[in-house]
DNA sequence: TAAAAAATTTACAGCATTTTTACATTAAAT
DNA sequence: ATTTAATGTAAAAATGCTGTAAATTTTTTA
């Protein structure tokens, strides 16, 4: 596969050899990788890098991998794929029930990992307003979540990371009103709950780029006092 | 775990021993099982039983398991968990990319299978296509509490935060008479117990927006001396 | 390391919503 | 039928929320 999704992955793994393997293996497939070599650091990276998913080794030096999962799940639903040397069934069950989305036993092939990443991406994109290929279309606006491409009138539009992220959250919940709090938590993480200021700025930028008449938006609608929503 | 979800599963598997194993193993955990011993029959069962998910053996006598997946995916997004004796990586990738949600290599433990079923359930529960029953309809009036949208005659109506809140309280208690006190407490908080003035203003605004003949309301009815109620 | 891009901060104009105020209308009671 | 209490409507003033541009800092890229 030669898709270059430009997605962001946080890898939490203490073994440098496997980190190296993932860095090159996933890197050549267009992923942007951030690494952490212990659980503490991993939780922080997950918070600040806003990854599309997380690859987590259970055997970490400083804390139990299951606790890392629980900690992340306190504020986020980012897909987590677990890697582990332990093929013990109880470990698998524990990790999956703590909130992991998949579990691979070492040794594993890069091809299988990539296939399971694609499964995770399908899941996080699924929405009734999207066709089977995870492409959202409404009027002149088209968003391809898999390829990370945005079009208006068949013309590709470049978005910055935050702009794209905001749009993708709106697309994944097309039609629904999303509160300021929810959007801020999804995009800037749990610490920026009150900066609803940011939202206005990025919303304005998206309208400039995507709306025909930015002052009278067709797609990116304001619900004053509540939040925003994408009309479809 | 003691979840007894009463979910429906279709098992597509030719080996009677494994069917037996799944029937008892899953049966005791509260699942309702329907069985098919070949691909053709499996596709039909998937169509008529409307299962919550499908467990599929790849090594079927009549057709390739990957084609079964593709056939089902033409019309449905039901989670499919694949079982296979083949640990070959290419097979895994092929099945996952065809639309399978997970892949277990035989032999596998019942505990792991159950844990992966719980993961699949988390995914399909999280996506809104199933859990979307909060739509109130009465005549030309339609209120979607999940999306926070209001329609009259299929025409969307914009409501301000307080207008919407008032309407949603009425919708959640449709048919019941709600006292002034109760409504004021729900919407403005316990401190504004006596400003029944506000209610009249917002009730009037709602009627202007939602009733065909605001002076002779069909839905938003006054119970003089008591409060208001929404007819349905 | 310098240049470019992006994120954050700052500042201000404009808009929507809520609340206040004033007055008209309808329902209940003697 | 008349009076009184309760309800409905309209518009103004006050408040809080939103949109945009531009300057500054930070991060990324070449």
């Amino acid at each position: 596969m030669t898709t270059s999704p430009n997605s962001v992955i946080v890898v939490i793994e203490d073994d440098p050899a496997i980190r190296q393997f993932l860095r090159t293996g996933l890197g050549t497939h267009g992923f942007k990788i951030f690494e952490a070599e212990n659980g503490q650091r991993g939780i922080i990276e997950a918070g600040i890098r806003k990854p599309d998913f997380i690859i987590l080794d259970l055997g970490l030096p400083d804390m139990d991998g299951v606790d890392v999962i629980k900690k992340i799940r306190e504020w986020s639903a980012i897909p987590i794929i677990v890697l582990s040397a332990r093929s013990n069934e109880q470990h698998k069950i524990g990790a999956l029930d703590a909130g992991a989305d998949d579990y691979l036993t070492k040794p594993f092939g890069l091809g299988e990992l990539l296939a399971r990443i694609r499964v995770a991406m399908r899941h996080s994109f699924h929405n009734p307003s999207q066709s089977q290929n995870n492409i959202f279309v409404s009027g002149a606006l088209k968003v391809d979540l898999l390829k990370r491409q945005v079009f208006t009138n068949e013309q590709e539009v470049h978005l910055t990371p935050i702009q794209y992220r905001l749009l993708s959250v709106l697309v994944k919940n097309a039609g629904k009103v999303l509160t300021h709090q929810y959007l801020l938590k999804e995009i800037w993480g749990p610490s920026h709950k009150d900066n609803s200021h940011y939202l206005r700025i990025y919303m304005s930028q998206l309208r400039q780029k995507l709306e025909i008449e930015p002052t009278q938006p067709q797609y990116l609608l304001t619900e004053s006092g509540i939040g925003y929503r994408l009309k479809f």
Side-chain angles (χ1 to χ4, degrees), chain A:
Chain A
M1 261 227 180
T2 46
T3 51
S4 52
N6 215 34
S7 301
V8 176
I9 307 182
V10 164
V11 172
I12 310 175
E13 163 70 77
D14 62 321
D15 183 339
I18 295 180
R19 280 215 308 279
Q20 166 69 27
F21 169 70
L22 293 173
R23 192 185 314 133
T24 57
L26 298 174
T28 56
H29 283 262
F31 294 101
K32 185 138 183 49
I33 317 258
F34 293 97
E35 300 176 18
E37 51 185 277
N38 60 56
Q40 292 293 342
R41 188 70 213 156
I43 292 166
I44 294 169
E45 288 288 321
I48 58 177
R49 300 301 182 179
K50 324 151 204 163
D52 295 281
F53 34 97
I54 294 166
I55 293 177
L56 168 69
D57 182 5
L58 278 199
L60 294 170
D62 62 331
M63 59 190 289
D64 186 357
V66 172
D67 292 328
V68 177
I69 297 172
K70 287 181 183 160
K71 210 82 191 137
I72 292 171
R73 279 288 172 268
E74 283 174 12
W75 63 272
S76 162
I78 301 170
I80 299 175
I81 296 176
V82 165
L83 306 179
S84 174
R86 308 174 212 168
S87 60
N88 179 323
E89 189 177 16
Q90 280 311 314
H91 281 115
K92 292 190 188 179
I93 296 171
L96 293 171
D97 280 342
D101 294 90
D102 209 338
Y103 190 111
L104 272 85
T105 307
K106 296 178 191 175
F108 57 90
L110 182 65
E112 180 178 356
L113 176 60
L114 287 166
R116 288 186 184 270
I117 285 173
R118 288 192 289 274
V119 171
M121 288 177 82
R122 278 208 306 268
H123 284 148
S124 63
F125 293 163
H126 188 271
N127 179 300
S129 64
Q130 292 157 228
S131 63
Q132 305 218 328
N133 312 341
N134 296 308
I135 297 174
F136 170 91
V137 182
S138 173
L141 176 65
K142 191 168 96 181
V143 182
D144 186 332
L145 290 169
L146 267 170
K147 293 185 180 167
R148 292 197 156 227
Q149 285 179 316
V150 179
F151 302 85
T152 46
N153 297 311
E154 303 300 315
Q155 187 80 39
E156 187 170 356
V157 179
H158 170 79
L159 298 182
T160 72
I162 289 186
Q163 287 166 5
Y164 178 81
R165 215 174 147 69
L166 173 55
L167 180 63
S168 78
V169 174
L170 289 164
V171 162
K172 286 175 198 166
N173 298 282
K176 227 193 285 186
V177 176
L178 304 177
T179 63
H180 299 134
Q181 285 240 333
Y182 176 80
L183 287 167
L184 285 164
K185 207 186 80 184
E186 284 296 303
I187 294 151
W188 281 271
S191 52
H192 294 73
K193 277 182 185 168
D194 31 287
N195 277 19
S196 47
H197 202 83
Y198 290 0
L199 276 179
R200 279 177 226 124
I201 293 164
Y202 281 93
M203 219 55 198
S204 170
Q205 292 173 359
L206 281 179
R207 282 170 178 155
Q208 304 289 333
K209 289 186 175 181
L210 303 176
E211 295 280 0
I212 301 158
E213 191 92 37
T215 49
Q216 285 172 13
Q218 291 183 263
Y219 308 112
L220 301 161
L221 306 183
T222 302
E223 295 286 337
S224 193
I226 312 278
Y228 296 91
R229 85 157 186 266
L230 177 66
K231 196 177 181 186
F232 69 107

